[in-house]
Amino acid sequence: MNIGSSRPVAQVGNDPKLVAFSQAAHRSGLMPGWEFQGGVSDAPVPAEQAYRWSWAEVLRPMMVKAYDVVDPVKAERRNLIMANPGLGRAATTQTLIAAIQGVLPGEIAPAHRHTAGALRFMIEGRGAATVVDGEPCYMEPASLILTPQWCWHDHANETDQPVIWLDVLDVPFIMGINQWFWEPFPHEIQPRSRPRGENLTLFGAGIVRPAGPRVHDGPSPLLVYPWDRAETALTELADLDTRDGGVTVEYNNPVTGGPVLPTIACFAHRLRPGGLTRARRTNSSAILHVVRGRGRTIVGDQKLEWETGDCLAIPHWTWVQHENRSATEPAFLFSATDTPILEAFGIYREELARAGA
Ligand code: 1HN
């Protein structure tokens, strides 16, 4: 790493003896370390771009078109991945995929499991179910549903309306470490072996939990996070904490108090009417979804305007501010980030601009 500018690193020059040595090293299956040092920047330069996918103009109309042309049983999923123009692969940020997925009345997206961890955030329709390891989790408006790593999951719509939701998965991270395992459920239908809503009754009470052993090494036992509880928490917090243009809560694993998935953390944000948040920069990347409201997000030197239903890619290591453009109504955002991956390895960074900056 370069400390200040006074000590340039990897300035070894083009001495012919050094060039000859380098060539010999490469022929021997070796790479001189100073060539690596000379080729990397001192801080990450994100390849992903700040980008907005409009709900009204892109996501919803394209999903409606996909209703006719895609059968979710043949295709496994009727989903549209938000492909970041800076990445050129199935990725929305460096580590995360966002997609929208739709299931029509009477359809079922078949059960499978994978090493990629996933979550769903409901956008349109209500009452369809994601069945996670045998438990039907009902998809109510703006609820968050977890399908943790290697859990069986299918999506079944027994209502009379289409349902559309946002998927977030850690697929680019899993592909980056070449650990993609995938398995279809061995039978046509995953048995509904647990009562609907069981996880929320047992682990969603907030101030108490079922008595018993405290150690829990598996995934979060809570799989469904209803929106009304998050919104109530945000509204109460906003009265208490008025330091910034908005307030944020983290969805948590109630057993550990930690993130909802080992690789993905989820947050809900409330922006005050007219509120502008303090500039913040972190080395985690994020998917942002507008639950309700209209505003804009300033990302580096770009301004992304948004309204209800839109999804945004927020690159890592870039300064970000959110602004609510309504002077009378609060705005609500949902975000999913790869923060737990960075924290697990002790490399998470975060900077806040000085107040007023
Ligand atoms: C997947 O398995 C689902 O299970 C959704 O619903 C989106 C995007 C990429 C790869 C796998 C699902 C996905 C996905």
Side-chain angles (χ1 to χ4, degrees), residues 75-352:
E76 194 75 19
R77 294 293 183 261
R78 183 191 285 113
N79 59 1
L80 293 164
I81 294 169
M82 293 173 226
N84 192 297
L87 293 174
R89 57 179 183 270
T92 311
T93 74
Q94 187 70 37
T95 48
L96 301 174
I97 265 186
I100 52 159
Q101 183 168 168
V103 181
L104 294 173
E107 284 182 346
I108 177 162
H112 65 211
R113 63 180 177 180
H114 34 66
T115 42
L119 59 91
R120 330 282 162 188
F121 193 89
M122 285 303 293
I123 306 181
E124 187 174 298
R126 73 186 313 156
T130 288
V131 182
V132 186
D133 278 345
E135 181 177 340
C137 296
Y138 279 76
M139 305 174 115
E140 293 304 309
S143 58
L144 165 67
I145 297 177
L146 308 180
T147 52
Q149 286 79 357
W150 211 239
C151 288
W152 294 112
H153 55 283
D154 63 74
H155 311 293
N157 184 357
E158 292 168 3
T159 76
D160 56 7
Q161 296 291 320
V163 286
I164 309 179
W165 65 85
L166 166 70
D167 292 310
V168 178
L169 298 92
D170 57 14
V171 169
F173 170 68
I174 292 293
M175 299 312 261
I177 57 172
N178 202 350
Q179 295 296 341
W180 175 262
F181 291 82
W182 188 95
E183 198 177 12
F185 195 75
H187 309 286
E188 206 174 322
I189 299 283
Q190 176 190 186
R192 278 51 177 151
S193 56
R194 290 193 287 158
R196 160 191 171 182
E198 183 186 56
N199 75 86
L200 190 58
T201 305
L202 293 177
F203 297 103
I207 60 165
V208 290
R209 62 168 184 86
R214 290 200 174 79
V215 181
H216 183 93
D217 292 331
S220 170
L222 183 62
L223 300 170
V224 180
Y225 297 75
W227 174 256
D228 56 346
R229 300 201 198 176
E231 183 169 331
T232 302
L234 284 168
T235 303
E236 290 175 2
L237 185 60
D239 287 340
L240 207 65
D241 182 352
T242 55
R243 290 172 298 175
D244 199 357
V247 287
T248 298
V249 291
E250 181 175 358
Y251 289 86
N252 68 21
N253 171 336
V255 171
T256 61
V260 290
L261 292 171
T263 49
I264 308 178
C266 290
F267 303 87
H269 314 266
R270 180 189 188 275
L271 302 175
R272 299 175 200 292
L276 173 68
T277 61
R278 251 165 91 179
R280 179 173 166 269
R281 149 167 104 157
T282 121
N283 58 341
S284 67
S285 60
I287 309 293
L288 199 68
H289 168 69
V290 184
V291 181
R292 195 162 88 228
R294 67 189 172 87
R296 63 178 162 213
T297 294
I298 304 155
V299 198
D301 56 10
Q302 285 192 67
K303 287 195 176 86
L304 302 176
E305 305 282 336
W306 44 253
E307 57 189 21
T308 303
D310 292 356
C311 294
L312 280 70
I314 308 292
H316 64 298
W317 209 233
T318 308
W319 288 98
V320 177
Q321 285 180 283
H322 305 294
E323 186 174 6
N324 180 358
R325 302 201 73 185
S326 167
T328 53
E329 298 297 320
F332 293 94
L333 305 171
F334 167 79
S335 70
T337 78
D338 62 357
T339 311
I341 299 173
L342 305 174
E343 282 176 341
F345 301 112
I347 58 168
Y348 180 66
R349 292 178 183 229
E350 183 179 327
E351 295 176 353
L352 253 190

